[in-house]
Amino acid sequence: MHLGQYPVEHLARQTTLRPVQIGGATGHAPPTTGLAGIAREYTKAFFDADTIPVASEKVSLPAVRDLTNEIKATCHFLDTTAVGVCAVTDGPDDCARAVVILVEPGRAPEPTNAASAWLDGKIIDFANLRCTEIAVVLAGYIRQLGHQAHLFYDHSSTDRLVDLAVAAGIGRQKGSQLEVPFIGPNYALAAVLTSLPLAVDKPLAPNGSLISTSLRLRHFFGFGGVQSTLHKHTLHRRATHLGNYPMERIRRRSKPTTLILEDEVPRVPKRAGFFARAGHGDLGAKTQRERDRFATKHPLAFAMSPLMHVMVPIQDGPVGSVKAGTTKNPVTNTKAVRSLAYMLGADMVGVGEAVSYAWYSHDADGIPLPVRHKHAIVMMIDQGYDTSEGSSGDDWISGSQSMRAYLRGAGIAGVLAAQLRSLGYSARAHTNRQSDVLHLPLILHAGLGELSRIGELVLNPFLGPRSKSVVVTTDMPLERDQPIDFGLQDFCAKCTKCARECPCNAISYKNKVMFNGYEMWKPDVERCTRYRVTNPKGSSCGRCMKVCPFANEGLISHRLFLWLAVHVPMTRRLIIKLDDVLQNGARNPVKRWWRDLTRTPAGSVEPATGTNERDLKDGVQSKVAAAQDIAYYPADAMPPADATEAWPLDRAKALQMQREMETPVQALARRKRID
Ligand code: SF4
Ligand code: SF4
């Protein structure tokens, strides 16, 4: 993981190290208008979020090389394009090392795409934004380890950062610019100065070719686990609004593949969500105590919290007084919105109806919420295949995986919503911190996935369940996508791997039922919430996401197997069997880059409880399946919208409910009788 996506370890290097004198203060880019102005507003908000203090206790550190690898892997986990370390002579607070971060901008929309005019050539502002985000998170993480860290950035001149990047072996000087192997001429730089005793990288060879012919060839085909040049070339030929995955080849339907009785789906208050219930004490004192810290127990996840916090007030805002004359065509608008979202870092983008039943009925204070917009732009953010590979799914990195995806999503949705408002259309970002909508029905209607056995999770054919969603609702004229059908209902009916591997038996082995108007494999949400919130040997849980055959880039990520799973139903049982035989879903130790840490009031320590070291279970399925009980808490068992006190769960009654649940066939028959 610390080696990143390019084969930089094979580049020609000098043998001498070069410490850098960094000099005085750093500079911000001045405020400006348009989309670049929004990028700068977010960049400033992220700088303001650099608030994590140095923990009073220092964490015990591993050997210098292991520590350096961990810090570099952390940067790559946060989506750095390249990272290096150099020595500095005049850093503050005993900071003798600079971790230098380089970020390549996303793909620029084609000149004919309306988003190109919105960007007005200022794409680098968004690479600066990402650089800032990574630097702030890294600095906060290091301080939570009890060591000093200071941001070093300069958006007015790149000179001093170029100097640092040269010394850190990221690139070599070419005039006032940096020549960076494998990467084009566009990049943004930032650095974190730290007192951590990190190993210093050697600068690149000053003359001659940095990349040998054999290295160029290996890189072209992606040997050695790197991103291949071939893949990059393929993407360059693909229109930017289509993104990186061929979703346009997936079959479309006029309705989702699972029955939704729309007039029977209740609008629910925010108070009814199980995490809100945990916070109010409905699940008992222990779950209430842990509710606010379970996803940020690890110091890396905690370092992301302030950035998410500062974005909440700018998720919505005033709308431009005039609708831009160039935005009357829904097809043109949709292309531009998609290209912009992909440039900003979304992994999947779809547009659907913002159905009324997706809107919460009441906010967290019990105040009624209106249905505000007619369209939902839904985006999925990959939680990271590499890290998933190394993790058991419910160990100490799990919370950070979720938080990284939520953080990335909140930034993308916030910028996109602000841009739509500046064009004269009401638009609001709905993030994990603040959302007026339930995402699940919107993902279905935007054609990004089908409901899976995991239950309240919409699974995408290319990302599997390994994603987090974020939504922008708006009234801008847009062209909607249709729901997709890639055979998941039949696949999940045959596969029960997530149910087998769930640590607390929360995923149903049973058949689908009707729940609040939806046909679904209804999970035991109470069990899942309790486990995620109080997991003693990890932070949160995403084990179902990690083990699913669709999340794996081993067996069925190979397009042949995915194609077979989608188009040839009779191969599905074999594929499910093969996925287990090949031990897909077991941990890959090569990708195990983080340290198990948990926060205490004094600092970060190794957890005394240990960590969940799980690989695949075998042979327990039938016993557990036969004995499984699922508790159902339908809308009429929810607490009132304004309940401030605990509203305890009645689990006995919820278990009773399983005998009364209607099947989809029974629901349709009932509807027919009524009609
Ligand atoms: Fe089970 Fe964890 Fe998935 Fe919840 S998140 S259903 S506890 S595997
Ligand atoms: Fe469906 Fe199997 Fe994935 Fe569960 S593990 S969601 S049953 S494909």
Side-chain angles (χ1 to χ4, degrees):
M1 188 75 177
H2 65 275
L3 294 174
Q5 54 183 310
Y6 294 106
V8 290
E9 69 276 20
H10 297 300
L11 296 172
R13 291 182 183 263
Q14 303 179 38
T15 48
T16 47
L17 302 175
R18 189 164 69 84
V20 180
Q21 192 174 15
I22 51 167
T26 50
H28 283 295
T32 183
T33 54
L35 197 43
I38 298 168
R40 291 182 194 185
E41 181 191 1
Y42 270 75
T43 306
K44 181 175 177 316
F46 286 172
F47 279 122
D48 293 344
D50 184 33
T51 52
I52 302 247
V54 179
S56 52
E57 300 271 333
K58 280 189 169 57
V59 75
S60 63
L61 296 177
V64 167
R65 179 46 65 191
D66 291 341
L67 176 66
T68 310
N69 289 350
E70 183 207 319
I71 293 294
K72 287 184 174 178
T74 304
C75 293
H76 287 303
F77 171 66
L78 296 169
D79 300 319
T80 304
T81 314
V83 57
V85 177
C86 68
V88 293
T89 55
D90 55 344
D93 294 328
D94 298 325
C95 290
R97 295 287 181 266
V99 182
V100 187
I101 296 159
L102 180 143
V103 170
E104 206 179 4
R107 294 174 64 209
E110 300 79 357
T112 51
N113 185 311
S116 180
W118 298 351
L119 274 165
D120 193 23
K122 308 266 177 38
I123 196 166
I124 206 66
D125 276 290
F126 289 95
N128 276 329
L129 173 61
R130 177 65 53 78
C131 251
T132 308
E133 177 192 308
I134 296 167
V136 172
V137 174
L138 181 66
Y141 175 55
I142 292 172
R143 288 190 214 116
Q144 276 292 294
L145 302 183
H147 290 263
Q148 289 287 349
H150 292 268
L151 302 184
F152 187 85
Y153 54 90
D154 196 342
H155 297 154
S156 50
S157 147
T158 55
D159 290 358
R160 283 176 299 168
L161 279 162
V162 166
D163 234 20
L164 285 171
V166 170
I170 288 181
R172 62 185 179 187
Q173 192 104 32
K174 208 174 176 189
S176 63
Q177 287 292 304
L178 197 62
E179 179 197 0
V180 191
F182 311 110
I183 294 164
N186 296 321
Y187 54 81
L189 289 166
V192 172
L193 308 176
T194 179
S195 59
L196 280 177
L198 301 176
V200 172
D201 288 299
K202 292 176 182 149
L204 298 178
N207 304 307
S209 172
L210 286 170
I211 309 172
S212 65
T213 311
S214 76
L215 179 58
R216 202 175 291 282
L217 204 62
R218 277 182 285 150
H219 177 223
F220 186 82
F221 290 108
F223 289 122
V226 297
Q227 195 200 84
S228 73
T229 318
L230 187 60
H231 178 65
K232 254 187 155 177
H233 283 184
T234 310
L235 281 185
H236 277 302
R237 289 198 302 273
R238 191 169 160 78
T240 57
H241 69 275
L242 294 175
N244 290 0
Y245 299 94
M247 284 294 285
E248 70 277 10
R249 294 206 204 137
I250 302 291
R251 192 168 41 217
R252 301 275 161 175
R253 299 268 187 232
S254 58
K255 288 186 175 161
T257 52
T258 39
L259 177 66
I260 304 177
L261 298 173
E262 300 202 339
D263 54 349
E264 294 185 16
V265 180
R267 282 182 66 195
V268 296
K270 290 192 183 183
R271 174 67 176 83
F274 260 77
F275 287 126
R277 298 197 72 171
H280 280 88
D282 300 4
L283 280 75
K286 185 178 175 192
T287 318
Q288 186 175 25
R289 231 178 13 252
E290 291 291 298
R291 164 65 186 89
D292 285 338
R293 67 180 290 268
F294 77 98
T296 56
K297 283 193 272 188
H298 194 280
L300 179 55
F302 183 68
M304 300 180 210
S305 306
L307 290 95
M308 303 196 49
H309 184 70
V310 294
M311 284 190 278
V312 172
I314 46 179
Q315 281 181 221
D316 205 346
V319 179
S321 51
V322 183
K323 287 190 171 43
T326 50
T327 55
K328 300 221 167 74
N329 184 332
V331 178
T332 311
N333 292 345
T334 309
K335 265 190 177 180
V337 161
R338 284 173 173 282
S339 292
L340 179 59
Y342 284 125
M343 189 281 287
L344 291 168
D347 293 294
M348 286 283 168
V349 185
V351 179
E353 182 184 354
V355 287
S356 59
Y357 53 86
W359 293 80
Y360 283 112
S361 61
H362 297 76
D363 73 8
D365 298 321
I367 297 166
L369 285 170
V371 173
R372 278 183 60 190
H373 300 124
K374 55 186 182 190
H375 301 301
I377 303 161
V378 185
M379 291 157 282
M380 285 177 152
I381 315 296
D382 193 340
Q383 291 194 51
Y385 171 66
D386 285 312
T387 301
S388 269
E389 271 274 276
S391 163
S392 65
D394 61 340
D395 51 25
W396 291 94
I397 199 61
S398 177
S400 302
Q401 281 188 270
S402 303
M403 288 289 282
R404 174 199 150 275
Y406 284 136
L407 170 63
R408 182 67 22 82
I412 296 166
V415 168
L416 184 56
Q419 171 63 12
L420 301 193
R421 290 195 299 272
S422 77
L423 294 170
Y425 298 95
S426 175
R428 188 201 197 291
H430 303 268
T431 69
N432 89 310
R433 277 293 165 106
Q434 185 70 266
S435 179
D436 288 350
V437 289
L438 286 155
H439 292 196
L440 182 146
L442 301 180
I443 308 172
L444 280 175
H445 285 287
L448 292 183
E450 288 186 57
L451 262 177
S452 67
R453 181 180 288 278
I454 294 171
E456 295 177 2
L457 185 138
V458 180
L459 190 150
N460 177 276
F462 299 101
L463 300 177
R466 203 187 56 235
S467 66
K468 294 289 185 195
S469 57
V470 70
V471 173
V472 171
T473 54
T474 183
D475 285 334
M476 179 189 234
L478 293 171
E479 185 192 36
R480 289 178 186 156
D481 294 296
Q482 285 192 310
I484 56 171
D485 176 0
F486 59 103
L488 188 70
Q489 301 314 300
D490 180 54
F491 198 99
C492 284
K494 295 184 164 90
C495 167
T496 51
K497 192 172 180 179
C498 51
R500 185 190 76 195
E501 296 296 331
C502 171
C504 64
N505 196 20
I507 298 175
S508 174
Y509 284 98
K510 300 172 192 290
N511 293 328
K512 287 187 275 189
V513 295
M514 292 305 294
F515 184 83
N516 286 349
Y518 291 94
E519 172 191 1
M520 65 182 346
W521 282 283
K522 180 66 186 158
D524 195 324
V525 181
E526 180 194 347
R527 271 201 196 121
C528 172
T529 308
R530 277 189 200 285
Y531 183 74
R532 283 161 88 180
V533 173
T534 63
N535 177 1
K537 296 184 175 187
S539 168
S540 193
C541 176
R543 180 148 177 81
C544 43
M545 158 196 105
K546 184 247 168 16
V547 298
C548 173
F550 281 91
N552 206 305
E553 294 188 4
L555 175 59
I556 64 172
S557 72
H558 292 305
R559 291 291 161 85
L560 170 66
F561 286 102
L562 182 55
W563 188 89
L564 284 171
V566 172
H567 298 286
V568 190
M570 65 192 294
T571 63
R572 288 175 188 152
R573 278 193 200 283
L574 183 67
I575 287 172
I576 291 162
K577 187 91 194 139
L578 203 52
D579 188 70
D580 254 355
V581 169
L582 294 177
Q583 290 286 297
N584 287 337
R587 288 166 301 164
N588 174 357
V590 173
K591 304 288 182 176
R592 203 340 187 154
W593 58 268
W594 64 93
R595 268 187 309 152
D596 296 334
L597 291 171
T598 188
R599 287 189 306 114
T600 69
S604 304
V605 294
E606 282 175 21
T609 47
T611 186
N612 289 312
E613 307 271 6
R614 298 177 206 273
D615 287 312
L616 299 182
K617 282 188 212 163
D618 287 315
V620 293
Q621 187 161 331
S622 49
K623 249 198 294 175
V624 176
Q628 190 182 42
D629 262 345
I630 298 277
Y632 296 93
Y633 296 94
D636 55 13
M638 288 173 187
D642 57 355
T644 49
E645 301 298 319
W647 190 269
L649 299 169
D650 186 345
R651 186 164 176 91
K653 195 171 164 203
L655 287 171
Q656 192 89 35
M657 287 292 304
Q658 65 188 325
R659 280 172 271 288
E660 295 159 24
M661 298 309 286
E662 207 175 29
T663 66
V665 174
Q666 288 168 336
L668 283 174
R670 169 174 59 78
R671 297 284 292 217
K672 212 165 168 190
R673 282 197 301 275
I674 294 168
D675 291 347

